[in-house]
Amino acid sequence: MKQVDWDAVRERLVNDDEATRLLLAMDEAGGEPALVQNEGALRFFDTAPEASKIPHRKCLCYDEEARLNRKKNPPTGDVVTAAEKLGAHLLDEEDYLLLQSVGDFDLKCSCWLATPAGVCKLGGAVFGDKRFGRAFIYHNTADCYYASRGYRLKVEIN
């Protein structure tokens, strides 16, 4: 990452009320937003050490369709709807690998990731974690949920 010109970042945030609102909401929820890319668009990701430790971000299945189709013990919500309500986006596989290249995150939990439509259409979803010093991307059925699986958000400012 290039050296950060924090005055320029501050100026872009001052001129973008929605991005500032999202970053504050991420911070207030315990997501610890941090700038991970500053070339072109500014990209902020949740950088709390463990995604499942961010309040209200665990025990959720992937999307509303999966939650509604779950026959027994449906969770109270899903990660796609939660991100949409906030107005933010889930990290995708590329984002997650970038995040893991700058630090160690999700060493004890896993993290739902934005999933390609073709995988969702088949009832699946992807998630990631970091074990043995490297990031892994996996798949699961979209209707599953665990206390040890959370999700991370991103905010991009053009």
Side-chain angles (χ1 to χ4, degrees):
M1 185 162 83
K2 288 180 9 182
Q3 183 66 29
V4 177
D5 178 351
W6 287 107
D7 290 332
V9 170
R10 203 172 295 109
E11 185 171 323
R12 286 170 80 177
L13 286 173
V14 165
N15 294 319
D16 192 331
D17 292 340
E18 181 62 11
T20 301
R21 182 194 67 77
L22 286 169
L23 290 171
L24 288 171
M26 285 169 64
D27 188 51
E28 289 169 357
E32 301 179 27
L35 181 64
V36 294
Q37 180 182 346
N38 70 331
E39 296 179 37
L42 299 175
R43 294 171 70 190
F44 294 86
F45 293 171
D46 283 326
T47 62
E50 300 291 334
S52 68
K53 300 296 184 201
I54 302 171
H56 312 293
R57 291 203 194 170
K58 60 183 178 180
C59 297
L60 303 171
C61 65
Y62 181 71
D63 61 13
E64 180 71 4
E65 181 179 350
R67 189 183 76 75
L68 293 173
N69 288 333
R70 189 167 174 96
K71 303 291 184 221
K72 292 184 178 180
N73 306 314
T76 59
D78 67 274
V79 301
V80 171
T81 300
E84 287 173 353
K85 280 182 182 176
L86 187 60
H89 300 280
L90 296 173
L91 267 61
D92 61 23
E93 292 177 57
E94 183 181 321
D95 297 328
Y96 195 71
L97 295 174
L98 173 62
L99 176 67
Q100 293 292 7
S101 75
V102 299
D104 292 326
F105 303 94
D106 302 329
L107 301 177
K108 297 177 184 174
C109 73
S110 60
C111 179
W112 284 116
L113 302 174
T115 300
V119 174
C120 290
K121 199 177 251 189
L122 297 172
V126 295
F127 67 94
D129 64 24
K130 191 168 190 176
R131 305 288 190 269
F132 311 108
R134 62 165 290 174
F136 290 91
I137 305 295
Y138 310 90
H139 62 88
N140 209 264
T141 58
D143 68 347
C144 73
Y145 63 98
Y146 304 98
S148 63
R149 182 168 302 152
Y151 65 95
R152 294 179 180 280
L153 297 173
K154 68 179 174 182
V155 174
E156 292 185 331
I157 303 166
N158 293 313

Coordinates of all heavy atoms in Angstrom, one line a residue, residues 25-94:
A25 N -20.7 3.5 12.0 CA -21.5 2.3 12.4 C -20.7 1.1 12.5 O -20.9 0.3 13.5 CB -22.6 2.1 11.3
M26 N -19.7 0.9 11.6 CA -18.8 -0.3 11.7 C -18.0 -0.2 13.0 O -17.9 -1.2 13.7 CB -17.9 -0.3 10.5 CG -18.5 -0.8 9.2 SD -17.4 -0.5 7.8 CE -16.0 -1.6 8.1
D27 N -17.6 1.0 13.3 CA -16.8 1.2 14.5 C -17.6 0.9 15.8 O -17.2 0.2 16.7 CB -16.1 2.6 14.5 CG -15.2 2.7 15.7 OD1 -14.3 1.9 15.8 OD2 -15.3 3.7 16.4
E28 N -18.8 1.5 15.8 CA -19.7 1.4 17.0 C -20.1 -0.1 17.2 O -20.3 -0.5 18.4 CB -20.9 2.3 16.8 CG -20.6 3.7 17.0 CD -21.7 4.6 16.6 OE1 -22.8 4.1 16.1 OE2 -21.6 5.9 16.7
A29 N -20.1 -0.9 16.2 CA -20.5 -2.3 16.3 C -19.3 -3.2 16.6 O -19.4 -4.4 16.8 CB -21.1 -2.8 15.0
G30 N -18.1 -2.6 16.8 CA -16.9 -3.3 17.2 C -16.1 -3.8 16.0 O -15.2 -4.7 16.2
G31 N -16.4 -3.4 14.8 CA -15.8 -3.9 13.6 C -14.3 -3.4 13.4 O -13.6 -3.9 12.6
E32 N -14.0 -2.3 14.1 CA -12.6 -1.8 13.9 C -12.2 -1.5 12.5 O -11.3 -2.1 11.9 CB -11.6 -2.7 14.6 CG -11.8 -2.9 16.1 CD -10.8 -3.9 16.7 OE1 -9.7 -3.9 16.2 OE2 -11.2 -4.5 17.7
P33 N -13.0 -0.6 11.8 CA -12.7 -0.3 10.4 C -11.3 0.3 10.2 O -10.8 1.1 11.0 CB -13.7 0.7 10.0 CG -14.2 1.3 11.3 CD -14.0 0.3 12.3
A34 N -10.6 -0.2 9.2 CA -9.2 0.3 8.9 C -9.1 0.4 7.4 O -9.7 -0.4 6.6 CB -8.2 -0.7 9.4
L35 N -8.3 1.4 7.0 CA -8.0 1.6 5.6 C -7.1 0.5 5.1 O -6.0 0.3 5.6 CB -7.4 3.0 5.4 CG -7.0 3.4 3.9 CD1 -8.3 3.5 3.1 CD2 -6.3 4.7 4.0
V36 N -7.5 -0.3 4.1 CA -6.6 -1.4 3.6 C -6.1 -1.1 2.2 O -5.2 -1.8 1.7 CB -7.3 -2.8 3.7 CG1 -7.6 -3.2 5.1 CG2 -8.6 -2.8 2.9
Q37 N -6.7 -0.1 1.5 CA -6.3 0.2 0.2 C -6.5 1.7 -0.1 O -7.6 2.2 0.2 CB -7.0 -0.6 -0.9 CG -6.5 -0.3 -2.3 CD -7.3 -1.1 -3.4 OE1 -7.9 -2.0 -3.1 NE2 -7.2 -0.6 -4.6
N38 N -5.6 2.4 -0.6 CA -5.8 3.8 -0.8 C -5.3 4.2 -2.2 O -5.1 5.4 -2.4 CB -5.1 4.7 0.3 CG -3.6 4.6 0.2 OD1 -3.0 3.7 -0.3 ND2 -2.9 5.7 0.6
E39 N -5.3 3.3 -3.1 CA -5.0 3.6 -4.5 C -6.3 3.6 -5.3 O -7.0 2.6 -5.3 CB -4.0 2.6 -5.1 CG -2.7 2.6 -4.4 CD -1.7 1.6 -5.0 OE1 -1.8 1.3 -6.2 OE2 -1.0 1.0 -4.2
G40 N -6.7 4.7 -5.9 CA -8.0 4.9 -6.5 C -9.0 5.0 -5.4 O -9.0 6.0 -4.7
A41 N -9.9 4.0 -5.3 CA -10.9 4.0 -4.3 C -10.3 3.8 -2.9 O -9.3 3.0 -2.8 CB -12.0 3.0 -4.5
L42 N -10.8 4.4 -1.9 CA -10.4 4.1 -0.5 C -11.2 2.9 -0.1 O -12.5 2.9 -0.3 CB -10.7 5.3 0.4 CG -10.0 6.6 0.1 CD1 -10.5 7.7 1.1 CD2 -8.5 6.4 0.3
R43 N -10.6 1.9 0.4 CA -11.3 0.7 0.9 C -11.0 0.5 2.4 O -9.9 0.3 2.8 CB -10.9 -0.5 0.1 CG -11.3 -0.4 -1.4 CD -10.7 -1.4 -2.2 NE -11.2 -2.7 -2.0 CZ -10.8 -3.9 -2.4 NH1 -9.7 -3.9 -3.2 NH2 -11.4 -5.0 -2.2
F44 N -12.1 0.5 3.1 CA -12.1 0.2 4.6 C -12.7 -1.1 4.8 O -13.8 -1.4 4.3 CB -12.8 1.3 5.3 CG -12.2 2.7 5.3 CD1 -12.5 3.5 4.2 CD2 -11.4 3.1 6.3 CE1 -12.0 4.8 4.1 CE2 -10.8 4.4 6.2 CZ -11.1 5.2 5.1
F45 N -12.1 -2.0 5.6 CA -12.6 -3.3 6.0 C -12.7 -3.3 7.5 O -12.0 -2.7 8.3 CB -11.6 -4.4 5.6 CG -11.5 -4.6 4.1 CD1 -10.5 -5.5 3.7 CD2 -12.2 -4.0 3.2 CE1 -10.3 -5.7 2.4 CE2 -12.0 -4.2 1.8 CZ -11.1 -5.1 1.4
D46 N -13.6 -4.2 8.0 CA -13.7 -4.5 9.4 C -12.4 -5.3 9.7 O -12.0 -6.2 9.0 CB -14.8 -5.5 9.7 CG -16.2 -4.9 9.8 OD1 -16.3 -3.8 10.2 OD2 -17.1 -5.6 9.4
T47 N -11.7 -4.9 10.8 CA -10.4 -5.5 11.1 C -10.4 -6.0 12.5 O -9.3 -6.2 13.1 CB -9.2 -4.6 10.8 OG1 -9.3 -3.5 11.7 CG2 -9.1 -4.2 9.4
A48 N -11.5 -6.3 13.1 CA -11.5 -6.9 14.5 C -10.8 -8.2 14.3 O -11.0 -8.9 13.3 CB -13.0 -7.1 15.0
P49 N -10.1 -8.6 15.3 CA -9.3 -9.9 15.2 C -10.2 -11.1 14.8 O -9.7 -11.9 14.0 CB -8.7 -10.1 16.6 CG -8.6 -8.7 17.1 CD -9.8 -8.0 16.6
E50 N -11.4 -11.2 15.4 CA -12.2 -12.4 15.1 C -13.6 -11.9 14.7 O -14.3 -11.1 15.4 CB -12.4 -13.2 16.4 CG -11.1 -13.8 16.9 CD -10.5 -14.9 16.0 OE1 -11.2 -15.5 15.2 OE2 -9.2 -15.1 16.0
A51 N -14.0 -12.2 13.5 CA -15.3 -11.8 13.0 C -16.5 -12.2 13.9 O -17.4 -11.4 14.0 CB -15.5 -12.3 11.6
S52 N -16.4 -13.3 14.5 CA -17.6 -13.8 15.3 C -17.6 -13.1 16.6 O -18.6 -13.3 17.4 CB -17.5 -15.3 15.5 OG -16.4 -15.6 16.3
K53 N -16.6 -12.3 17.0 CA -16.6 -11.5 18.2 C -17.3 -10.1 18.1 O -17.5 -9.4 19.1 CB -15.2 -11.4 18.8 CG -14.5 -12.7 19.1 CD -15.2 -13.4 20.2 CE -14.4 -14.7 20.5 NZ -15.2 -15.7 21.2
I54 N -17.6 -9.7 16.8 CA -18.2 -8.5 16.6 C -19.7 -8.6 17.0 O -20.4 -9.5 16.5 CB -18.1 -8.0 15.1 CG1 -16.6 -7.9 14.7 CG2 -18.8 -6.7 14.9 CD1 -16.4 -7.7 13.2
P55 N -20.2 -7.8 17.9 CA -21.6 -8.0 18.4 C -22.6 -8.1 17.3 O -22.5 -7.4 16.3 CB -21.8 -6.7 19.2 CG -20.5 -6.3 19.7 CD -19.5 -6.7 18.5
H56 N -23.5 -9.0 17.4 CA -24.7 -9.2 16.5 C -24.2 -9.7 15.2 O -25.0 -9.7 14.2 CB -25.5 -7.9 16.3 CG -25.8 -7.2 17.6 ND1 -26.7 -7.7 18.5 CD2 -25.4 -6.0 18.1 CE1 -26.8 -6.9 19.5 NE2 -26.0 -5.9 19.3
R57 N -23.1 -10.3 15.0 CA -22.6 -10.8 13.7 C -22.3 -12.3 13.8 O -21.4 -12.7 13.0 CB -21.4 -10.0 13.3 CG -21.7 -8.6 12.9 CD -20.7 -8.1 12.0 NE -20.7 -6.6 11.9 CZ -19.8 -6.0 11.2 NH1 -18.8 -6.5 10.7 NH2 -19.9 -4.6 11.2
K58 N -23.0 -13.0 14.6 CA -22.7 -14.5 14.6 C -24.1 -15.2 14.7 O -25.1 -14.6 14.9 CB -21.8 -14.9 15.7 CG -22.3 -14.5 17.1 CD -21.3 -14.9 18.1 CE -21.8 -14.5 19.5 NZ -20.8 -14.9 20.5
C59 N -24.1 -16.5 14.5 CA -25.3 -17.3 14.5 C -26.3 -16.8 13.4 O -27.5 -16.8 13.7 CB -25.9 -17.3 15.9 SG -24.9 -18.0 17.2
L60 N -25.8 -16.5 12.3 CA -26.6 -16.0 11.2 C -26.3 -16.9 10.0 O -25.1 -17.2 9.7 CB -26.3 -14.6 10.8 CG -26.5 -13.5 11.9 CD1 -25.9 -12.2 11.5 CD2 -27.9 -13.4 12.3
C61 N -27.3 -17.3 9.2 CA -27.0 -18.0 8.0 C -26.7 -17.0 6.9 O -26.5 -15.8 7.1 CB -28.2 -18.9 7.6 SG -29.7 -18.0 7.1
Y62 N -26.5 -17.5 5.7 CA -25.9 -16.6 4.6 C -27.0 -15.6 4.1 O -26.7 -14.4 4.1 CB -25.4 -17.4 3.4 CG -24.8 -16.5 2.4 CD1 -23.6 -15.8 2.6 CD2 -25.5 -16.3 1.2 CE1 -23.1 -14.9 1.7 CE2 -25.0 -15.4 0.3 CZ -23.8 -14.7 0.5 OH -23.3 -13.8 -0.4
D63 N -28.1 -16.1 3.7 CA -29.1 -15.1 3.1 C -30.5 -15.5 3.5 O -30.8 -16.5 4.2 CB -29.0 -15.0 1.6 CG -29.3 -16.4 0.8 OD1 -29.8 -17.3 1.5 OD2 -29.0 -16.4 -0.4
E64 N -31.4 -14.6 3.2 CA -32.8 -14.7 3.7 C -33.5 -15.9 3.1 O -34.2 -16.6 3.8 CB -33.6 -13.4 3.3 CG -35.1 -13.5 3.7 CD -35.3 -13.3 5.2 OE1 -34.4 -13.1 5.9 OE2 -36.5 -13.4 5.6
E65 N -33.2 -16.3 1.8 CA -33.8 -17.5 1.2 C -33.4 -18.7 2.0 O -34.2 -19.6 2.3 CB -33.4 -17.6 -0.2 CG -34.0 -18.8 -0.9 CD -33.6 -18.9 -2.4 OE1 -33.0 -18.0 -2.9 OE2 -33.9 -20.0 -3.0
A66 N -32.1 -18.8 2.4 CA -31.6 -20.0 3.1 C -32.3 -20.0 4.5 O -32.7 -21.1 5.0 CB -30.1 -19.9 3.3
R67 N -32.4 -18.8 5.1 CA -33.1 -18.8 6.5 C -34.5 -19.2 6.4 O -35.0 -20.0 7.2 CB -33.0 -17.4 7.0 CG -33.4 -17.3 8.5 CD -33.4 -15.9 9.0 NE -34.5 -15.1 8.5 CZ -35.8 -15.2 9.0 NH1 -36.1 -16.0 9.9 NH2 -36.7 -14.4 8.5
L68 N -35.3 -18.8 5.4 CA -36.7 -19.2 5.3 C -36.8 -20.6 4.9 O -37.9 -21.2 5.3 CB -37.4 -18.3 4.2 CG -37.5 -16.8 4.6 CD1 -38.0 -16.0 3.5 CD2 -38.3 -16.6 5.9
N69 N -35.9 -21.2 4.2 CA -36.0 -22.6 3.8 C -35.5 -23.6 4.9 O -35.7 -24.8 4.7 CB -35.2 -22.8 2.5 CG -35.8 -22.2 1.3 OD1 -37.1 -22.0 1.3 ND2 -35.1 -21.9 0.3
R70 N -34.9 -23.1 5.9 CA -34.4 -23.9 7.0 C -35.6 -24.5 7.7 O -36.5 -23.8 8.2 CB -33.5 -23.2 7.9 CG -32.9 -24.1 8.9 CD -31.7 -23.4 9.6 NE -31.2 -24.2 10.6 CZ -30.1 -25.0 10.5 NH1 -29.5 -24.9 9.3 NH2 -29.7 -25.8 11.4
K71 N -35.7 -25.9 7.8 CA -36.8 -26.5 8.4 C -36.9 -26.5 9.9 O -37.9 -26.2 10.5 CB -36.9 -28.0 8.0 CG -36.9 -28.2 6.5 CD -38.2 -27.7 5.8 CE -38.2 -28.0 4.4 NZ -38.8 -27.0 3.6
K72 N -35.7 -26.7 10.5 CA -35.6 -26.7 12.0 C -34.7 -25.6 12.5 O -33.7 -25.4 11.9 CB -35.1 -28.0 12.5 CG -36.1 -29.2 12.3 CD -35.5 -30.4 12.9 CE -36.5 -31.6 12.7 NZ -36.0 -32.8 13.3
N73 N -35.0 -25.0 13.6 CA -34.2 -24.0 14.3 C -33.6 -23.0 13.3 O -32.4 -22.8 13.3 CB -33.0 -24.8 15.0 CG -33.5 -25.9 15.9 OD1 -34.4 -25.6 16.7 ND2 -32.9 -27.0 15.8
P74 N -34.5 -22.2 12.7 CA -33.9 -21.1 11.8 C -33.2 -20.1 12.7 O -33.7 -19.8 13.8 CB -35.2 -20.6 11.1 CG -36.3 -20.9 12.0 CD -35.9 -22.2 12.7
P75 N -32.2 -19.5 12.1 CA -31.5 -18.4 12.9 C -32.4 -17.1 12.9 O -33.3 -17.1 12.1 CB -30.2 -18.2 12.1 CG -30.5 -18.6 10.7 CD -31.5 -19.7 10.9
T76 N -32.0 -16.2 13.6 CA -32.8 -14.9 13.7 C -32.5 -14.0 12.5 O -33.3 -13.1 12.3 CB -32.4 -14.2 15.0 OG1 -31.0 -13.9 15.0 CG2 -32.8 -15.0 16.3
G77 N -31.5 -14.3 11.8 CA -31.2 -13.4 10.6 C -30.2 -14.0 9.7 O -29.8 -15.2 9.8
D78 N -29.8 -13.2 8.7 CA -28.8 -13.6 7.8 C -27.8 -12.5 7.5 O -28.2 -11.3 7.7 CB -29.5 -14.1 6.5 CG -30.2 -13.0 5.7 OD1 -31.3 -12.6 6.0 OD2 -29.5 -12.3 4.9
V79 N -26.7 -12.8 7.0 CA -25.6 -11.8 6.8 C -25.8 -10.9 5.6 O -25.5 -9.7 5.7 CB -24.2 -12.5 6.7 CG1 -23.9 -13.3 8.0 CG2 -24.0 -13.3 5.5
V80 N -26.5 -11.4 4.5 CA -26.7 -10.5 3.4 C -27.7 -9.4 3.8 O -27.4 -8.2 3.5 CB -27.2 -11.3 2.2 CG1 -27.7 -10.4 1.1 CG2 -26.2 -12.3 1.7
T81 N -28.8 -9.7 4.4 CA -29.7 -8.7 4.9 C -29.1 -7.8 5.9 O -29.4 -6.5 5.8 CB -31.0 -9.4 5.5 OG1 -31.6 -10.3 4.5 CG2 -32.0 -8.4 5.9
A82 N -28.3 -8.3 6.8 CA -27.7 -7.4 7.8 C -26.8 -6.4 7.1 O -26.8 -5.2 7.5 CB -26.9 -8.3 8.8
A83 N -26.0 -6.8 6.2 CA -25.1 -5.9 5.5 C -25.9 -4.8 4.7 O -25.6 -3.6 4.7 CB -24.2 -6.6 4.5
E84 N -27.0 -5.3 4.0 CA -27.8 -4.4 3.2 C -28.5 -3.4 4.1 O -28.6 -2.2 3.7 CB -28.9 -5.2 2.4 CG -28.3 -6.0 1.3 CD -29.3 -6.9 0.6 OE1 -30.4 -7.1 1.1 OE2 -29.0 -7.5 -0.5
K85 N -29.0 -3.8 5.3 CA -29.6 -2.8 6.2 C -28.7 -1.7 6.6 O -29.1 -0.6 6.7 CB -30.1 -3.5 7.4 CG -31.4 -4.3 7.2 CD -31.9 -4.9 8.5 CE -33.2 -5.7 8.3 NZ -33.6 -6.4 9.5
L86 N -27.4 -2.0 6.7 CA -26.4 -1.0 7.1 C -26.0 -0.2 5.9 O -25.6 0.9 6.0 CB -25.2 -1.7 7.7 CG -24.1 -0.8 8.3 CD1 -24.7 0.1 9.4 CD2 -23.0 -1.6 8.8
G87 N -26.2 -0.8 4.7 CA -25.8 -0.1 3.5 C -24.3 -0.4 3.1 O -23.7 0.3 2.3
A88 N -23.8 -1.4 3.7 CA -22.4 -1.8 3.4 C -22.4 -3.1 2.6 O -23.5 -3.6 2.2 CB -21.6 -2.0 4.7
H89 N -21.2 -3.6 2.3 CA -21.1 -4.8 1.5 C -20.2 -5.8 2.3 O -19.3 -5.5 3.0 CB -20.4 -4.5 0.2 CG -21.1 -3.6 -0.7 ND1 -22.2 -3.9 -1.5 CD2 -21.0 -2.2 -0.9 CE1 -22.7 -2.9 -2.1 NE2 -21.9 -1.8 -1.7
L90 N -20.5 -7.1 2.0 CA -19.7 -8.2 2.6 C -18.4 -8.2 1.9 O -18.3 -7.9 0.7 CB -20.4 -9.5 2.4 CG -21.7 -9.8 3.1 CD1 -22.3 -11.1 2.7 CD2 -21.5 -9.7 4.6
L91 N -17.3 -8.6 2.6 CA -16.1 -8.9 1.9 C -16.3 -10.0 0.9 O -17.0 -11.0 1.3 CB -15.0 -9.2 2.9 CG -14.1 -8.1 3.4 CD1 -14.9 -7.0 4.1 CD2 -13.0 -8.6 4.3
D92 N -15.6 -10.0 -0.2 CA -15.7 -11.2 -1.1 C -14.3 -11.9 -1.0 O -13.5 -11.5 -0.1 CB -16.0 -10.8 -2.6 CG -14.9 -9.8 -3.2 OD1 -13.8 -9.8 -2.7 OD2 -15.3 -9.1 -4.1
E93 N -14.1 -12.9 -1.8 CA -12.9 -13.7 -1.6 C -11.6 -12.9 -1.8 O -10.7 -13.0 -1.1 CB -12.9 -14.9 -2.6 CG -14.0 -15.9 -2.3 CD -14.1 -17.0 -3.4 OE1 -13.0 -17.7 -3.6 OE2 -15.1 -17.2 -3.9
E94 N -11.6 -12.1 -2.8 CA -10.5 -11.2 -3.1 C -10.2 -10.3 -2.0 O -9.0 -10.1 -1.6 CB -10.7 -10.5 -4.4 CG -9.5 -9.6 -4.8 CD -9.8 -8.8 -6.1 OE1 -10.5 -9.4 -7.0 OE2 -9.4 -7.7 -6.2

